[in-house]
């Protein structure tokens, strides 16, 4: 990239960069610049970028022996005085982001001695990222492996897994997300595919203990979400007390149920929930817990094809059926069944969801050989008269009616 227009001479540029950095240290709030000054991060590059109002970084590649993925690197562009580089690893993190203090101490020691003294916990998944220098990269990987972790989870591979805190901290957890996370990590196939990129694009696996979906499993290529069968359980006596105390408004509860499953009998002072209509939104449970709780018969709903990036834009996953909370081994097998046809046939940079849209959900399920309890039965057939249709008929009709409603409103 050519140098931005009107850049001052080198010395003045560096002085102005320093001025901006100092401004960012002012004020009563914590300053990321002050924190970065404690490390060996090339802060002047950041400052120059702020003066130029352009990213000062260009792409680069750093090869670390015996490492196929997980290393990301950038070099300062040639208009940045003094140059500089920024290289970082993604390190395997722990389920629910529980980090033991002894583990953190070891990581900090490695970062200080072999890296630049900077650890980041970033992104939606809370990924553990360590900055390093290319010269010490190999020694750093060895040190990380010695303390029982590894580098991986970037590129076109299975990405670092993500699980909510689940039963360790949360009263809503409907299955053991932490155990599922650990079992997935322990599986050799999963591990191999985290450290070796061989897929058309990235593949994310996420575990959420309930439909509140803190791990955003709906946006994973495969997501596992704790649910229950039928209606939530209502403790009428406790609910009555909450209503008397003014903590719960039963009419509001019924009005806010997204599927209209709740009815409030004023005479009998009884709240009823129709399990066949309940869409597991968690709204009533959150508002009246523990008087309203998830039902006792627990399941794990499986969704596939979600993602915020991809050829056809952001998508929420499609529900494809249920597993039991103890079926984690089947969940691992299912994950590789889902990956199979996508890996074999999808074009480069097609997320699983893009591939499913291209093929149609019914055909994808058939190709992957998936058989699950509660699978959605689709009568939709791809009509011959619509060439290149990527969506089943019923889905296209839903989009069409939505577009017509919008047109009407405009
Ligand atoms: S997803 Fe549900 S179970 Fe998991 S932390 Fe969030 S509220 Fe709790």
């Amino acid at each position: 990239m050519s140098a931005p227009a009107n850049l001052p001479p080198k010395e003045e540029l560096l002085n102005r960069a320093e001025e901006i950095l100092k401004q960012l240290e002012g004020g009563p709030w914590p300053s990321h610049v002050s924190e970065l000054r404690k490390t060996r991060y090339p802060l002047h590059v950041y400052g120059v970028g702020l003066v130029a109002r352009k990213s000062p970084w260009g792409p680069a590649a750093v090869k670390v022996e015996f490492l196929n993925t997980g290393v990301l690197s950038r070099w300062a562009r040639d208009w940045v005085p003094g140059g500089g580089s920024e290289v970082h690893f993604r390190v395997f993190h722990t389920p629910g982001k529980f980090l033991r203090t002894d583990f953190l101490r070891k990581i900090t020691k490695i970062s200080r001695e072999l890296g630049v003294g900077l650890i980041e916990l970033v992104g939606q998944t809370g990924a553990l990222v360590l900055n390093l220098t290319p010269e010490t990269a190999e020694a750093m990987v060895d040190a990380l492996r010695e303390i029982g972790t590894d580098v991986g989870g970037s590129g076109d591979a299975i990405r670092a897994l993500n699980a909510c805190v689940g039963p360790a901290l949360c009263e809503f957890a409907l299955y053991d997300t932490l155990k599922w996370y650990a079992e997935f990590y322990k599986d050799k196939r999963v591990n191999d595919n985290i450290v070796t990129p061989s897929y058309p694009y990235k593949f994310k696996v996420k575990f959420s203990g309930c439909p509140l979906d803190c791990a955003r499993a709906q946006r994973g290529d495969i997501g596992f979400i704790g649910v229950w069968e039928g209606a939530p359980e209502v403790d009428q006596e406790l609910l009555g007390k909450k209503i008397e105390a003014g903590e719960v408004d039963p009419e509001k509860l019924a009005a806010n149920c997204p599927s209209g499953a709740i009815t409030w009998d004023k005479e009998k002072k009884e709240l009823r929930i129709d399990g066949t209509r309940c869409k597991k939104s968690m709204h009533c449970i959150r508002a009246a817990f523990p008087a309203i709780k998830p039902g006792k018969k627990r399941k794990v709903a499986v969704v596939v094809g979600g993602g915020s990036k991809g050829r056809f834009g952001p998508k929420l996953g499609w529900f494809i059926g249920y597993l039991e909370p103890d079926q984690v081994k089947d969940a691992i097998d299912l994950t590789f069944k889902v990956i199979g046809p996508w890996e074999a046939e999808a074009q480069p940079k097609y997320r699983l969801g893009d591939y499913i849209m291209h093929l149609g959900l019914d055909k994808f399920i058939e190709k992957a050989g998936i058989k699950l309890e509660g699978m959605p039965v689709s009568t939709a057939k791809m009509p011959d008269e619509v060439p290149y249709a990527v969506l089943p008929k019923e889905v296209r009709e839903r989009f069409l009616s939505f577009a017509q409603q919008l047109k009407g409103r405009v």
Side-chain angles (χ1 to χ4, degrees):
M1 191 199 274
S2 56
N6 305 326
L7 265 192
K10 281 183 184 176
E11 205 163 316
E12 197 191 328
L13 180 57
L14 285 173
N15 288 340
R16 279 179 49 191
E18 185 53 29
E19 264 168 40
I20 294 188
L21 292 173
K22 281 205 176 111
Q23 280 174 20
L24 290 172
E25 289 182 281
W29 40 80
S31 159
H32 63 292
V33 172
S34 303
E35 293 307 308
L36 282 169
R37 281 200 203 279
K38 296 175 192 166
T39 71
R40 293 184 289 283
Y41 184 84
L43 203 50
H44 69 283
V45 184
Y46 173 49
V48 167
L50 293 174
V51 177
R53 292 172 177 258
K54 275 220 155 78
S55 171
W57 298 112
V62 167
K63 180 76 196 125
V64 182
E65 213 174 6
F66 307 122
L67 212 60
N68 300 319
T69 183
V71 189
L72 298 155
S73 54
R74 315 182 284 181
W75 297 103
R77 296 197 184 273
D78 50 15
W79 45 266
V80 177
S85 68
E86 193 274 330
V87 189
H88 57 262
F89 281 151
R90 278 177 185 234
V91 178
F92 286 11
H93 60 273
T94 40
K97 292 146 219 148
F98 288 104
L99 293 159
R100 286 167 46 151
T101 44
D102 65 332
F103 176 77
L104 269 180
R105 274 195 201 102
K106 286 175 190 163
I107 289 275
T108 312
K109 188 167 182 279
I110 293 173
S111 171
R112 283 207 183 114
E113 289 173 5
L114 296 166
V116 303
L118 178 63
I119 300 173
E120 297 162 68
L121 293 166
V122 295
Q124 208 192 75
T125 54
L128 184 58
V129 170
L130 291 191
N131 278 69
L132 59 129
T133 50
E135 305 77 52
T136 50
E138 277 163 36
M140 202 161 171
V141 177
D142 290 345
L144 288 168
R145 286 178 179 162
E146 251 167 52
I147 65 161
T149 184
D150 209 335
V151 174
S154 69
D156 299 337
I158 294 185
R159 291 296 182 90
L161 310 177
N162 190 23
C164 74
V165 291
L169 282 183
C170 183
E171 56 204 357
F172 294 144
L174 300 171
Y175 77 104
D176 193 341
T177 50
L178 306 176
K179 182 171 178 209
W180 277 50
Y181 178 107
E183 291 296 329
F184 266 70
Y185 251 123
K186 279 195 288 185
D187 188 277
K188 187 171 182 314
R189 289 167 298 169
V190 176
N191 234 278
D192 287 350
N193 285 290
I194 288 180
V195 295
T196 315
S198 60
Y199 293 150
Y201 203 3
K202 58 187 162 188
F203 190 89
K204 296 190 174 182
V205 186
K206 302 185 176 199
F207 310 91
S208 277
C210 78
L212 289 178
D213 198 7
C214 295
R216 294 163 186 93
Q218 273 275 359
R219 279 170 47 186
D221 293 277
I222 189 161
F224 300 98
I225 305 174
V227 288
W228 64 92
E229 249 180 35
E233 271 183 21
V234 184
D235 180 335
Q236 299 291 352
E237 207 185 312
L238 188 56
L239 183 66
K241 283 185 189 156
K242 277 186 169 280
I243 294 169
E244 258 173 45
E247 289 170 27
V248 174
D249 177 344
E251 279 169 14
K252 219 167 152 190
L253 213 60
N256 287 343
C257 171
S259 52
I262 299 181
T263 44
W264 169 242
D265 189 331
K266 247 186 185 172
E267 311 267 291
K268 292 187 188 159
K269 296 205 177 311
E270 210 175 84
L271 190 105
R272 282 189 221 104
I273 305 179
D274 179 353
T276 57
R277 294 176 71 181
C278 171
K279 285 196 174 1
K280 320 292 186 265
S281 73
M282 297 286 288
H283 176 268
C284 60
I285 294 173
R286 260 201 308 184
F289 192 80
I292 306 181
K293 284 191 204 163
K296 282 216 171 62
K297 197 149 185 239
R298 309 284 159 85
K299 298 270 174 200
V300 179
V302 186
V303 290
V304 293
S308 55
K309 283 187 191 155
R311 280 288 159 97
F312 301 131
K315 289 174 261 341
L316 293 179
W318 286 273
F319 166 72
I320 57 163
Y322 297 110
L323 288 167
E324 296 296 326
D326 61 358
Q327 275 187 297
V328 57
K329 298 275 177 225
D330 296 321
I332 300 172
D333 291 342
L334 174 68
T335 302
F336 285 96
K337 271 190 184 174
V338 163
I339 287 174
W342 169 68
E343 183 186 11
E345 294 178 354
Q347 293 177 34
K349 297 297 167 200
Y350 261 54
R351 287 288 287 270
L352 175 69
D354 299 322
Y355 172 69
I356 293 176
M357 281 187 81
H358 205 92
L359 201 66
L361 185 62
D362 297 353
K363 274 197 186 161
F364 169 73
I365 287 176
E366 200 183 309
K367 249 187 195 219
I370 300 168
K371 283 198 174 53
L372 289 177
E373 184 204 331
M375 287 182 87
V377 181
S378 172
T379 50
K381 289 268 175 289
M382 300 287 275
D384 295 339
E385 72 274 16
V386 182
Y388 314 119
V390 293
L391 294 173
K393 190 171 171 229
E394 63 180 25
V395 180
R396 278 187 290 117
E397 278 172 1
R398 277 215 310 271
F399 275 119
L400 195 64
S401 103
F402 176 63
Q404 270 158 358
Q405 274 177 36
L406 273 185
K407 202 172 141 198
R409 272 189 235 160
V410 173

